[in-house]
Amino acid sequence: MNKAFFLTLSLAIATTLSAMGAGNVFKVDNPDSKLSPYTGMTRRHWIEADKYLLEGAFGHIRSLDDPMYFDRLGNVCYPKDNSRVRGATLEGMCRTLFLASPLLREDSTLTINGIRLADYYRRQLSLLVDPDSKQYVAHRGNRGPCQDLVEFGALGISLFICGDVLWEPLPKATRDSLYSMIESYADGPTIPQNWRFFNVFPMSFFKSKGYEVNDSLLVKYVRLLQGDYRGDGWYLDHPNYDFYSMWAYQLYGELWARFFGREHYPELAAQFEKNFAEMYRSYPRMFGRDGHMPMWGRSNMYRFAAAAPLAWGEGINYGWMRRIASGCLLQFLQNPDFIYADGVPTPGFYGLFDPVLQGYSCRGSVYWCAKAFLPLMLPESHPYWSDTENEGFWAGMKAGEVDNLWLPGPKMLITNYANSGAAETRAFCDYDTERRGAEKFRGSEQYNRLAYNTLFPWMADGKNGEVAMAYVVKNAKGQWEPMRRYTTTGYADGTLHRTVWLQSDKRFTMSLADKTLPDGMMRSDSVTGCATPTTLRLGHYALPERDTPIKEATISLKNGLKAYTIYNGRHSLALVPVKGWGKVEYVRTEGLHPETRFAETINATADVNGPTELKTLMLFKEGQFDRKSIEKAIKQL
């Protein structure tokens, strides 16, 4: 290749990638306002969105041998050196295949950016067992659970979907080599949580193709997975509840039943399907009226994968499920920070945001979000695609109504607010971050917030005590330590009751009571144990600073109370210190919020030296608060 041609090609690639990112968001062309009056999205638009994401990924591919590898961004993701590049490549290939598999099932000739997808993925499968290839994966040997196992689990799902296109045309020798290598991982150790599915799916696929697998281990892992069910539609992904309960346990369990279990293990398949049906009582209500998801739990870079299980039920409100899924998809695809300049989604929530990431993720990890496209396996005539969009539960709510759904199994409270269309989740967090080998993110902002709201993604804690929707305490080292060791003690009369203690000092304890109101909550909390004098802070939600500076206002109320409010042009927050607080301040932060560089919250501070009552009214709404609206909220207490 001559130098001039190479330069021209390089410039063309750079131009294409630049056009894909940097604010070039997905557009819903010719929206269907009759079938989808809220989002305009039909099955055709979902296919276009799928191809939109594939075009970004395949903008990095020039030949069938090219690895699906994307350059690292930020300071958290791997690979931080060359030692894990091969692993990141495997992630990129297997996870983008989630995007491609339902499309290939429908059109085996599909071409993206000049690459025929079926040819590319078949070639990549062959390279996995070619010792001379950079993509080569050796047999497991004595390795324990590893990232390769995860990707082979994903590959097993995709092969169930489009195996006729990818698996069957491979030479028998290649298929046998892939079976031998992948089965060495599947028939091996795993992690006692959702990872067991990554053993189950490859074994199930190979068994369906007549290969010998470890049946007893397959059944054992399925039974252990089902043993993680805690009722009310939720599995415990040890040690937390989070979206893995849905995009892993519920989705994988239902797909396994459909692909394999009903034929081979009908009783086990029936149990997965029974648990799956129970999900619909609670899970759809975790999304806002607009379909937006809360920023909650680890692996938030998977984003709209949260909507992946919604399509697969029987006799459900399909129009509402699609409205949620499409709203959730557009929450990100229409955000200008979602796609980076290289055409690949950023590692973060909206744009690049290190505080939301974990070290087990790479750039290609983001394509776990592609599970949301698996309902494209369903034909256009299926009611998930053919029923008219509707607002489901939300349509029956009246102005000023707040509805709480208490789930005793996972001890979770889901709240829906008619006025704002927000959904709010209060969930379990009790993790020892000081034990040996602790994964500290499990006790971080991902889980330790007092509540998670679809309108207000969490802000990371600052070193100077900046905090949003959580308590932080000045510990013995002089550091601001967030509360994270919660016990949920019950729910009654619209109030959730919890206790919490400080990780670094068990002598510091609090009781918490959250009473939900039409536009927020009343917190009636108490310090119940305090061995030495200290300071604690409570933060409201945080607002991103958009086109203009955030407006701050202090409003004098009856009974000598004051309301501290902030407004960012869209939403307002109001904090009223009712009892026990010494100081309230507006806190402007930089680099701590997932939506914008600058954000602002309201923090209340108290110096404590023993039992102390702390009562706080925390409100939120679209538009600005005034004295009348805040005093109305106080009357509702």
Side-chain angles (χ1 to χ4, degrees):
M1 183 181 297
N2 64 56
K3 185 175 182 180
F5 178 81
F6 179 78
L7 178 60
T8 301
L9 178 62
S10 298
L11 288 173
I13 294 171
T15 301
T16 300
L17 295 180
S18 179
M20 278 293 300
N24 189 338
V25 301
F26 174 75
K27 295 179 177 59
V28 182
D29 291 328
N30 299 314
D32 189 331
S33 58
K34 184 177 180 180
L35 183 61
S36 301
Y38 298 98
T39 69
M41 292 277 289
T42 64
R43 188 175 185 273
R44 173 178 63 84
H45 295 103
W46 272 82
I47 291 173
E48 291 173 356
D50 193 328
K51 291 179 179 178
Y52 166 82
L53 292 172
L54 279 169
E55 286 167 3
F58 275 84
H60 295 256
I61 304 301
R62 289 294 169 265
S63 77
L64 299 183
D65 286 354
D66 286 351
M68 191 64 77
Y69 178 77
F70 315 108
D71 289 339
R72 178 173 174 263
L73 284 178
N75 298 311
V76 177
C77 287
Y78 86 88
K80 296 183 179 181
D81 54 42
N82 292 330
S83 64
R84 298 187 66 190
V85 169
R86 200 273 303 154
T89 297
L90 183 63
E91 284 207 45
M93 189 274 284
C94 291
R95 298 189 179 202
T96 58
L97 185 53
F98 270 142
L99 287 170
S101 57
L103 301 183
L104 289 172
R105 180 187 179 100
E106 196 164 303
D107 178 10
S108 63
T109 68
L110 180 63
T111 298
I112 299 287
N113 290 348
I115 301 292
R116 187 162 168 164
L117 267 59
D119 293 343
Y120 176 78
Y121 285 107
R122 281 197 298 266
R123 177 59 177 161
Q124 292 299 308
L125 288 174
S126 299
L127 293 175
L128 294 181
V129 290
D130 180 354
D132 295 326
S133 166
K134 294 179 181 178
Q135 287 95 307
Y136 175 70
V137 182
H139 280 233
R140 180 178 63 85
N142 293 324
R143 295 176 70 188
C146 61
Q147 192 67 38
D148 291 344
L149 172 63
V150 177
E151 307 317 316
F152 293 141
L155 182 58
I157 295 172
S158 291
L159 290 177
F160 269 119
I161 296 168
C162 64
D164 290 347
V165 177
L166 299 186
W167 179 261
E168 298 302 336
L170 292 172
K172 184 179 185 302
T174 302
R175 296 199 305 267
D176 291 348
S177 294
L178 283 165
Y179 154 73
S180 178
M181 183 270 289
I182 295 174
E183 183 66 9
S184 73
Y185 290 84
D187 184 7
T190 191
I191 296 177
Q193 46 166 247
N194 76 83
W195 274 52
R196 293 182 177 118
F197 274 112
F198 307 137
N199 303 74
V200 165
F201 268 101
M203 283 195 284
S204 299
F205 175 75
F206 290 129
K207 182 178 175 68
S208 75
K209 295 300 179 182
Y211 287 99
E212 183 179 349
V213 301
N214 188 338
D215 282 289
S216 61
L217 185 63
L218 170 60
V219 171
K220 174 185 176 181
Y221 282 159
V222 169
R223 292 192 186 281
L224 286 169
L225 285 162
Q226 293 180 343
D228 292 335
Y229 190 64
R230 296 295 183 269
D232 299 303
W234 289 86
Y235 292 82
L236 177 64
D237 187 42
H238 302 275
N240 300 103
Y241 292 102
D242 50 34
F243 284 119
Y244 278 92
S245 183
M246 299 301 167
W247 63 47
Y249 286 90
Q250 287 289 22
L251 175 66
Y252 295 161
E254 177 66 18
L255 293 181
W256 182 82
R258 289 172 179 245
F259 293 155
F260 180 79
R262 290 174 182 172
E263 178 181 352
H264 296 273
Y265 301 101
E267 291 185 7
L268 294 175
Q271 186 61 55
F272 273 134
E273 293 183 303
K274 178 181 181 296
N275 297 347
F276 187 81
E278 294 177 2
M279 171 194 72
Y280 286 96
R281 175 174 170 260
S282 64
Y283 188 55
R285 289 178 53 171
M286 282 187 64
F287 296 83
R289 190 167 194 157
D290 55 7
H292 287 199
M293 61 177 283
M295 181 175 158
W296 167 60
R298 65 191 178 106
S299 300
N300 266 281
M301 68 190 299
Y302 303 161
R303 287 117 163 171
F304 45 82
L310 296 176
W312 304 98
E314 300 287 344
I316 59 173
N317 185 340
Y318 292 104
W320 183 28
M321 297 305 103
R322 191 178 79 252
R323 191 272 176 274
I324 293 172
S326 295
C328 190
L329 180 71
L330 295 178
Q331 176 183 359
F332 299 97
L333 261 62
Q334 293 191 330
N335 186 290
D337 296 324
F338 174 63
I339 299 291
Y340 192 63
D342 63 359
V344 177
T346 54
F349 192 65
Y350 288 111
L352 174 63
F353 188 58
D354 275 347
V356 82
L357 304 177
Q358 290 78 49
Y360 55 73
S361 296
C362 66
R363 280 299 299 286
S365 300
V366 298
Y367 289 107
W368 217 235
C369 69
K371 286 184 281 189
F373 291 91
L374 297 185
L376 288 173
M377 287 189 288
L378 303 173
E380 194 164 6
S381 60
H382 190 280
Y384 180 74
W385 297 115
S386 62
D387 282 6
T388 302
E389 271 187 355
N390 65 78
E391 292 190 306
F393 162 85
W394 292 96
M397 294 194 77
K398 299 177 181 179
E401 185 178 355
V402 55
D403 191 281
N404 289 310
L405 178 62
W406 166 244
L407 305 176
K411 294 186 176 180
M412 186 181 299
L413 182 68
I414 300 174
T415 305
N416 300 99
Y417 297 91
N419 288 351
S420 62
E424 203 167 53
T425 300
R426 293 167 174 82
F428 169 87
C429 181
D430 183 15
Y431 185 75
D432 183 359
T433 57
E434 300 304 315
R435 68 176 177 82
R436 185 176 181 180
E439 296 178 306
K440 294 187 181 297
F441 62 80
R442 294 187 181 278
S444 72
E445 297 94 332
Q446 328 276 350
Y447 298 98
N448 68 25
R449 305 293 85 168
L450 294 166
Y452 293 88
N453 193 294
T454 57
L455 292 178
F456 310 108
W458 57 258
M459 183 188 83
D461 294 339
K463 294 182 179 180
N464 298 314
E466 308 97 319
V467 63
M469 198 45 63
Y471 277 104
V472 292
V473 180
K474 184 69 75 70
N475 64 23
K477 295 181 180 180
Q479 301 168 333
W480 290 103
E481 180 181 339
M483 303 292 275
R484 57 172 64 93
R485 305 303 303 272
Y486 294 88
T487 299
T488 302
T489 56
Y491 171 79
D493 300 322
T495 302
L496 181 70
H497 297 275
R498 292 178 282 188
T499 61
V500 63
W501 52 275
L502 192 66
Q503 175 77 66
S504 66
D505 185 354
K506 290 185 177 181
R507 297 172 298 175
F508 188 92
T509 59
M510 296 182 69
S511 66
L512 311 175
D514 308 35
K515 182 176 180 60
T516 55
L517 305 171
D519 292 303
M521 70 196 80
M522 179 67 189
R523 301 206 58 82
S524 299
D525 304 331
S526 296
V527 175
T528 53
C530 182
T532 57
T534 191
T535 303
L536 77 159
R537 292 165 67 94
L538 170 66
H540 204 322
Y541 287 119
L543 292 181
E545 184 175 285
R546 301 190 186 279
D547 300 328
T548 58
I550 289 176
K551 295 181 180 179
E552 304 168 352
T554 304
I555 302 173
S556 296
L557 307 170
K558 296 177 181 179
N559 300 322
L561 297 176
K562 286 186 178 181
Y564 297 80
T565 71
I566 55 177
Y567 174 59
N568 72 346
R570 298 185 190 178
H571 295 98
S572 289
L573 303 178
L575 186 149
V576 181
V578 177
K579 184 176 183 180
W581 296 106
K583 180 175 67 173
V584 177
E585 58 188 314
Y586 302 108
V587 179
R588 187 170 186 260
T589 67
E590 181 176 1
L592 299 181
H593 198 276
E595 290 187 82
T596 56
R597 177 181 175 185
F598 296 104
E600 189 161 329
T601 184
I602 310 167
N603 281 187
T605 305
D607 295 320
V608 295
N609 189 21
T612 307
E613 287 188 73
L614 299 165
K615 293 190 176 183
T616 322
L617 179 64
M618 305 170 78
L619 304 174
F620 54 84
K621 65 174 292 186
E622 186 175 357
Q624 285 187 273
F625 277 111
D626 55 23
R627 178 183 302 166
K628 183 178 180 181
S629 60
I630 296 174
E631 290 185 339
K632 180 181 178 181
I634 293 175
K635 288 181 180 180
Q636 294 169 333
L637 295 175

